[in-house]
């Protein structure tokens, strides 16, 4: 028992120190429990198969898809519209929305769903994201106190009461307690978040290397020379190849890409296919050709081939009504610099082999302060030229393999990851709603962890994330390892008898001082233990103890069991006390001491208020 407590104390010291990564500290603590044979290998590794850990992995993927499809930005813009220019209104609105969602689905699920929305919201509002992410996690736990199903400790005390023959709690028995928690949390967190979570703004802002896709489009004036034509039914272009049309030779136009509508009748299936203009590509009716060149040449080409000249500067998503140029869902652009040693120096663009070997097109050349955008086929490339190339993202990534021939400027793949697949937003929303429905309604025979994993896989299969690699990149492995490695600590504390000994001595030893003192002892014992073991395990351990202690002094067990539920759920002073706290740790760039500075005062104030409120709501 003493070895377990020593490992726990050492872990807490290293967590608070912050010089060693939190996941490494957790793994070392786990290894210590294994080395001293306190836990068996099966018990120690059980945390990595825990449903909460698996659910967190799936929710990271779902959250990543919500962000990638632009759904987060759409929702955040609505919330931002309600809040206006007031950061205070925005803060309160985020907490209220999160708490409302947390009343019906798990707090872990709530945070994972709200995390990308709030990150996008903070970016749009030019607000420090670290100021809202920790309150977001806390609000999800507060919202869990609104209903019987909001958090696991609520169900635990319900089970203890019914097993002991007491009147069971109703679905909304917790609502008054939850409302007090939310109100207290908002009032306390407004100043605490400003004092302790604001100074990281400079740290968060990072200088982006390279140019964004929008900057490249503006610099090379692609919008000014980009036009679209549609292959109409009956057009002689239908059934012909790009080479047969002689677009470049006869009309001096550069065919940038072909956009093919695959499923116009269904907005939930992928409706747009992008592909480069291969000379052997056969055009079909309905294809949209993106052309670069002089407008009079585009008009002449459209007239000769009976093509429909479309609105030149809008995308296919006409319902959006937004001006635009190129979309970068599947095809992107990047700059490459030609050094003096490159074989391409003094070679015409048409003979460079870039199209044949790498499937990329040259859209423009920047030569000192001059931009060459037309007649590129016969233009010879010089040393120091910067080429604007276009191709599929995976083909652009292949260009990095020839450092002696050219240097890829910036981070094009990082830019690709920022491109929102906005045409997938309705599909991502539908998957998210179905997942929430499975988690909310008991008549749907799907476990929450199963619903989350199904949603995560669907997000990948339906293209809401670019590929499986993109899904893996959404997972915050530091948080996953932290929770998985710390979960077995509760098993060690139970196995060695440390938790039971501590809880019984603290709770029963205060019984002689009256019900209020005993209530305070139960609450703060629960709150203290939840900092080191899971809130569900704490509730399971302390709920029977609180019930027996109340019976022994002749008091009603309801306020004491509510103290256990609230104390277990309102644990804010540690990043690994609840999964939501761990979920926001990396995104908010928090250290362990940040939870102490913000969470500990809130936890203490919440406890004092609950000790005063619970006897009024549930008399002794």
């Amino acid at each position: 028992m003493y070895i377990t407590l020593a490992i726990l104390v050492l872990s807490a010291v290293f967590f608070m120190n912050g010089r060693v990564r939190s996941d490494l500290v957790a793994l070392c603590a786990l290894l210590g429990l294994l080395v001293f044979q306190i836990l068996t290998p099966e018990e120690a590794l059980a945390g990595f198969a825990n449903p909460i850990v698996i659910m967190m992995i799936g929710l990271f993927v779902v959250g990543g898809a919500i962000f990638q499809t632009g759904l987060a930005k759409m929702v955040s813009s609505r919330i931002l519209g309600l809040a206006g220019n007031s950061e205070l209104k925005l803060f309160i609105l985020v907490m209220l929305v999160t708490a409302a969602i947390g009343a019906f689905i798990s707090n872990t699920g709530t945070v994972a769903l709200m995390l990308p929305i709030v990150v996008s919201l903070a970016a749009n509002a030019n607000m420090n994201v670290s100021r809202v992410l920790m309150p977001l996690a806390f609000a999800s736990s507060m919202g869990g106190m609104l209903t019987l199903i909001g958090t696991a400790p609520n169900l635990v005390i319900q089970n203890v009461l019914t097993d002991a023959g007491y009147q069971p709690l109703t679905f909304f028995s917790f609502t008054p307690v939850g409302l007090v928690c939310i109100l207290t949390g908002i009032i306390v967190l407004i100043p605490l978040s400003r004092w302790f979570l604001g100074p990281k703004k400079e740290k968060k802002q990072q200088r982006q290397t390279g140019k964004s896709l929008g900057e490249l489009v503006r610099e090379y004036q692609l919008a000014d020379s980009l036009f679209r034509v549609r292959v109409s039914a009956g057009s002689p272009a239908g059934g012909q190849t790009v080479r047969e049309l002689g677009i470049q030779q006869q009309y001096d136009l550069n065919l940038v890409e072909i956009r093919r509508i695959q499923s116009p009748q269904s907005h939930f299936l992928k409706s747009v296919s992008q592909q480069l203009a291969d000379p052997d590509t056969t055009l079909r009716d309905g294809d949209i050709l993106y052309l670069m060149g002089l407008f009079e040449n585009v008009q002449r080409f459209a007239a000769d081939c009976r093509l429909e000249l479309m609105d030149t500067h809008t995308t296919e998503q006409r319902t959006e009504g937004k001006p635009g140029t190129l979309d970068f869902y599947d095809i992107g652009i990047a700059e490459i610099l030609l050094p003096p040693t490159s074989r391409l120096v003094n070679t015409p663009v048409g003979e460079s082999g870039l199209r044949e070997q790498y499937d990329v097109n040259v859209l423009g050349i920047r030569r000192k302060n001059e931009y060459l955008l037309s007649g590129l086929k016969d233009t010879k490339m010089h040393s120091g030229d910067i080429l604007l190339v276009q191709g599929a993202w995976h083909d652009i990534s292949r260009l990095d393999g020839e450092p002696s021939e050219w240097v890829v400027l910036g981070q094009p793949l990082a830019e690709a990851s920022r491109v929102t697949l906005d045409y997938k937003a309705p599909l991502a929303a539908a998957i998210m709603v179905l997942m929430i429905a499975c988690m909310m309604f008991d008549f749907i025979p799907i476990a929450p962890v199963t619903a989350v994993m199904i949603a995560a896989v669907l997000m990948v299969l339906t293209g809401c994330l670019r590929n499986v690699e993109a899904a893996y990149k959404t997972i915050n492995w530091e948080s996953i390892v932290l929770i998985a490695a710390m979960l077995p600590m509760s098993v060690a504390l139970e196995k060695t008898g440390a938790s039971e000994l501590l809880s019984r001595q603290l709770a029963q030893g205060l019984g002689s001082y009256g019900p209020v003192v005993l209530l305070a002892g139960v609450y703060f014992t629960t709150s203290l233990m939840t900092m080191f073991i899971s809130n569900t395990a704490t509730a399971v351990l302390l709920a029977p103890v609180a019930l027996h202690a109340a019976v022994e002094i002749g008091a009603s067990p309801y306020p004491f069991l509510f103290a256990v539920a609230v104390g277990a759920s309102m644990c804010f002073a540690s990043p690994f006390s609840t999964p939501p706290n761990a979920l926001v740790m990396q995104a908010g760039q928090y250290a362990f001491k940040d939870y102490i500075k913000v969470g500990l005062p809130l936890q203490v104030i919440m406890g004092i208020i609950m000790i005063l409120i619970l006897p009024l709501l549930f008399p002794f």
Side-chain angles (χ1 to χ4, degrees):
M1 180 172 67
Y2 296 108
I3 295 175
T4 303
L5 292 175
I7 292 173
L8 182 60
V9 171
L10 281 173
S11 300
V13 170
F14 278 104
F15 279 131
M16 287 184 283
N17 181 267
R19 294 187 179 182
V20 182
R21 281 174 52 123
S22 55
D23 52 346
L24 186 58
V25 173
L27 284 174
C28 290
L30 186 65
L31 290 173
L33 296 174
L34 275 170
V35 169
F36 288 103
Q37 298 183 345
I38 297 169
L39 294 178
T40 65
E42 291 76 15
E43 291 171 333
L45 298 175
F48 291 91
N50 189 286
I52 290 178
V53 175
I54 303 301
M55 185 183 293
M56 285 177 64
I57 293 173
L59 286 170
F60 272 123
V61 176
V62 173
I66 292 171
F67 198 91
Q68 184 74 72
T69 58
L71 184 60
K73 191 172 184 179
M74 295 178 195
V75 176
S76 67
S77 62
R78 298 287 180 90
I79 297 176
L80 193 60
L82 294 174
N85 297 323
S86 172
E87 186 174 310
L88 177 61
K89 286 183 182 179
L90 185 61
F91 183 91
I92 294 173
L93 201 57
V94 166
M95 289 201 67
L96 291 177
V97 170
T98 304
I101 297 173
F104 300 100
I105 67 174
S106 73
N107 52 10
T108 308
T110 301
V111 171
L113 292 177
M114 288 294 293
L115 183 62
I117 295 173
V118 172
V119 169
S120 177
L121 187 62
N124 291 340
N126 195 27
M127 182 181 179
N128 189 346
V129 73
S130 67
R131 190 173 289 177
V132 286
L133 286 186
M134 191 181 292
L136 167 74
F138 296 168
S140 71
S141 297
M142 297 170 195
M145 292 305 303
L146 289 170
T147 63
L148 177 65
I149 65 169
T151 184
N154 295 1
L155 297 172
V156 170
I157 69 167
Q158 166 81 315
N159 185 60
V160 170
L161 282 169
T162 54
D163 286 349
Y166 289 90
Q167 185 72 22
L169 301 167
T170 65
F171 189 82
F172 292 107
S173 294
F174 293 83
T175 304
V177 178
L179 292 175
V180 172
C181 290
I182 295 168
L183 181 61
T184 303
I186 291 175
I187 293 173
V188 175
L189 284 173
I190 287 173
L192 288 180
S193 63
R194 287 181 178 272
W195 295 339
F196 299 117
L197 300 181
K200 287 200 186 83
K201 193 165 187 179
E202 293 79 12
K203 181 180 177 181
K204 182 180 180 296
Q205 290 178 341
Q206 298 175 352
R207 179 63 185 158
Q208 180 180 338
T209 58
K211 300 169 186 174
S212 69
L213 296 173
E215 288 171 338
L216 289 176
V217 168
R218 288 190 294 272
E219 181 178 342
Y220 286 84
Q221 300 180 341
L222 298 184
D224 297 335
S225 57
L226 182 70
F227 302 92
R228 303 182 308 151
V229 296
R230 190 197 307 271
V231 179
S232 308
S235 168
Q240 293 195 59
T241 65
V242 172
R243 180 184 287 109
E244 290 170 344
L245 289 174
I247 296 174
Q248 190 173 50
Q249 292 78 6
Q250 296 182 35
Y251 299 97
D252 194 23
L253 296 173
N254 187 9
L255 179 55
V256 176
E257 70 174 75
I258 300 172
R259 198 73 62 89
R260 184 161 289 166
I261 308 299
Q262 293 183 325
S263 307
Q265 75 281 2
S266 174
H267 196 56
F268 290 98
L269 298 177
K270 183 174 180 179
S271 58
V272 180
S273 170
Q274 288 182 294
Q275 55 182 297
L276 288 180
D278 190 281
D280 297 320
T281 300
T282 301
L283 300 183
R284 304 177 188 172
D285 290 348
D287 282 355
I288 298 170
L289 312 183
Y290 277 64
L291 302 166
M292 287 187 66
L294 297 176
F295 182 58
E296 51 266 28
N297 292 341
V298 175
Q299 284 183 309
R300 183 162 57 90
F301 172 59
D304 292 349
C305 298
R306 298 202 300 275
L307 302 172
E308 177 189 351
L309 183 60
M310 301 177 63
D311 182 12
T312 56
H313 295 149
T314 57
T315 64
E316 276 69 25
Q317 305 298 321
R318 287 173 298 206
T319 55
E320 296 287 335
K322 61 179 182 180
T325 53
L326 292 167
D327 289 320
F328 299 106
Y329 303 136
D330 307 314
I331 296 175
I333 55 177
E335 287 183 313
I336 61 174
L337 170 67
L338 300 185
T341 57
S342 174
R343 61 176 173 80
L344 298 183
V345 173
N346 295 324
T347 303
V349 171
E351 300 175 12
S352 66
L354 288 172
R355 174 64 183 165
E356 293 75 17
Q357 297 179 36
Y358 294 94
D359 286 329
V360 296
N361 292 328
V362 178
L363 298 184
I365 299 175
R366 176 155 64 97
R367 182 171 294 164
K368 296 182 180 179
N369 295 324
E370 183 182 4
Y371 291 85
L372 308 177
L373 301 173
S374 60
L376 294 178
K377 182 180 179 183
D378 299 320
T379 301
K380 289 187 177 182
M381 295 172 282
H382 297 174
S383 171
D385 279 357
I386 295 177
L387 312 183
L388 180 69
V389 297
Q390 179 206 38
W393 287 113
H394 62 86
D395 288 324
I396 289 178
S397 67
R398 293 168 53 208
L399 294 174
D400 272 327
E402 296 285 350
S404 62
E405 300 294 341
W406 49 73
V407 177
V408 179
L409 302 180
Q411 297 176 319
L413 294 187
E415 287 298 324
S417 67
R418 298 186 183 101
V419 176
T420 56
L421 309 175
D422 48 7
Y423 63 95
K424 289 290 187 180
L427 181 56
I431 294 173
M432 183 183 70
V433 169
L434 289 174
M435 181 191 76
I436 294 174
C438 291
M439 297 172 73
M440 281 181 60
F441 301 115
D442 293 334
F443 63 83
I444 301 178
I446 298 177
V449 64
T450 307
V452 170
M453 294 308 296
I454 291 174
V457 172
L458 285 176
M459 289 293 190
V460 178
L461 292 179
T462 57
C464 294
L465 288 163
R466 292 187 178 279
N467 45 45
V468 177
E469 288 74 18
Y472 285 138
K473 288 179 181 178
T474 65
I475 301 170
N476 186 332
W477 292 108
E478 182 177 351
S479 299
I480 297 298
V481 173
L482 171 65
I483 291 293
M486 287 306 296
L487 281 174
M489 179 63 73
S490 62
V491 177
L493 290 172
E494 293 176 53
K495 194 174 180 180
T496 58
S499 57
E500 185 177 359
L501 177 65
L502 180 64
S503 61
R504 285 188 180 277
Q505 286 186 344
L506 286 175
Q508 294 182 349
L510 297 174
S512 60
Y513 295 100
V516 175
V517 177
L518 178 59
L519 183 67
V522 168
Y523 186 95
F524 284 109
T525 300
T526 307
S527 185
L528 177 65
M529 289 184 61
T530 308
M531 291 178 63
F532 304 106
I533 64 176
S534 73
N535 57 358
T536 305
T538 302
V540 170
L541 286 170
L542 287 181
V545 175
L547 178 71
H548 294 316
V551 171
E552 286 179 10
I553 66 171
S556 168
Y558 287 93
F560 297 93
L561 287 174
F562 266 89
V564 171
V566 178
S569 300
M570 302 297 104
C571 188
F572 310 123
S574 166
F576 55 81
S577 57
T578 61
N581 292 3
L583 273 171
V584 300
M585 188 176 185
Q586 188 69 23
Q589 298 181 353
Y590 301 125
F592 191 96
K593 61 184 179 182
D594 292 322
Y595 290 88
I596 297 292
K597 289 189 291 186
V598 176
L600 186 58
L602 175 60
Q603 195 166 323
V604 172
I605 294 171
M606 189 78 73
I608 295 171
I609 290 177
M610 283 297 116
I611 292 166
L612 298 175
I613 293 293
L614 287 177
L616 300 178
L617 297 174
F618 308 96
F620 293 123

